[in-house]
Amino acid sequence: MEQNNITINQRIPLVILEKALISALDGEYSIQTIREQLLIDYEGENRIKKAITIINRIIPKNPLMELIIDNKEKVKQALKNRNDRDIILVALLSVAYPFAYDTLIAFGKLFKVQDRVTTQSIKKMLSSKYGGNRALPNGMNAVIPMILEARFFVREKVGIYMHKDHLNYNNEVTGKIYRQSFFQNNPLLDSKYEGDLYFEPYYAFVVVE
């Protein structure tokens, strides 16, 4: 099944995802523009091609883009706030790559009961679904730095992560996008779900309103 494939093995800086999203909102998204941005951070044609494939999946091909385009001006305003930007980009990442969502769930479950989490404990939880092959650490090395950059949690030292205060957002549309990313990854739940999202591991990082 697709959702049991990791399919991401390369970190994308959030600033590049942000620029890609803004260009998509402005109707100016192009591979050439993305390539020019990637040349600043990447060397090697193969790495650049992989990055373009990942960005295409996270931004223009993302199921959340319909909601985002419908709220284009509100989203553009929200992206001006650091917290909102980070939450929106992680929501897009989580929908494009269910492995990223599962990684957040693993962290969320552990952070519900302890303040510090190790890489090995996350790997053990993820391996029950994804197996223990080489793709697993490669996938973790791709998505965990992106989540760290979004400040969903912090790294105390190599291999040890600490929980932090939940991220607040300033714009209602940000909450809608993050909420929809939860339902995209839980298709058996209705979007009118009345359960308390506060207790969902996915909301261990973001304020529920």
Side-chain angles (χ1 to χ4, degrees):
M1 293 175 62
E2 174 66 18
Q3 68 175 21
N4 289 330
N5 294 330
I6 294 174
T7 66
I8 183 171
N9 58 9
Q10 192 164 292
R11 167 186 172 267
I12 306 295
L14 295 190
V15 66
I16 293 180
L17 287 182
E18 178 186 10
K19 290 177 179 178
L21 177 55
I22 291 172
S23 66
L25 290 171
D26 290 336
E28 298 174 353
Y29 184 91
S30 73
I31 299 300
Q32 183 57 37
T33 301
I34 299 303
R35 176 181 290 275
E36 291 171 0
Q37 291 292 327
L38 290 169
L39 285 170
I40 299 172
D41 292 275
Y42 293 92
E43 293 183 0
E45 185 62 21
N46 189 48
R47 291 194 71 208
I48 290 173
K49 285 182 177 179
K50 284 183 178 179
I52 289 172
T53 298
I54 293 168
I55 294 168
N56 280 340
R57 183 161 169 174
I58 294 174
I59 304 298
K61 296 181 180 180
N62 200 300
L64 288 179
M65 284 306 293
E66 182 178 354
L67 172 62
I68 287 172
I69 294 297
D70 286 347
N71 294 274
K72 179 169 65 174
E73 295 306 320
K74 292 180 180 179
V75 172
K76 290 171 75 171
Q77 184 63 35
L79 290 173
K80 295 178 181 179
N81 178 275
R82 173 73 187 276
N83 283 6
D84 289 65
R85 183 204 76 152
D86 290 351
I87 293 168
I88 290 170
L89 293 178
V90 169
L92 285 163
L93 172 66
S94 297
V95 171
Y97 290 97
F99 175 74
Y101 174 83
D102 289 334
T103 300
L104 276 169
I105 293 299
F107 272 102
K109 285 181 177 179
L110 291 175
F111 279 140
K112 288 285 187 182
V113 295
Q114 59 197 58
D115 292 330
R116 288 174 174 79
V117 169
T118 67
T119 301
Q120 286 304 311
S121 61
I122 296 299
K123 184 178 180 181
K124 182 177 180 180
M125 290 184 71
L126 291 171
S127 65
S128 65
K129 179 173 183 179
Y130 292 96
N133 58 38
R134 185 180 177 85
L136 178 57
N138 288 345
M140 292 172 61
N141 288 336
V143 303
I144 291 177
M146 296 171 72
I147 299 167
L148 277 171
E149 186 181 352
R151 300 166 303 129
F152 273 44
F153 46 81
V154 297
R155 181 166 54 197
E156 182 179 46
K157 56 185 178 180
V158 176
I160 299 180
Y161 306 93
M162 290 181 60
H163 195 241
K164 60 185 288 293
D165 291 339
H166 290 60
L167 287 178
N168 287 288
Y169 51 85
N170 288 351
N171 298 271
E172 183 181 354
V173 70
T174 302
K176 288 182 178 179
I177 292 168
Y178 195 75
R179 180 183 175 90
Q180 188 58 33
S181 72
F182 170 78
F183 289 112
Q184 285 283 340
N185 280 287
N186 295 276
L188 297 182
L189 290 179
D190 188 274
S191 60
K192 296 179 180 178
Y193 173 66
E194 295 297 335
D196 192 342
L197 291 175
Y198 174 82
F199 295 104
E200 296 290 343
Y202 192 56
Y203 275 87
F205 319 96
V206 175
V207 169
V208 179
E209 293 185 0

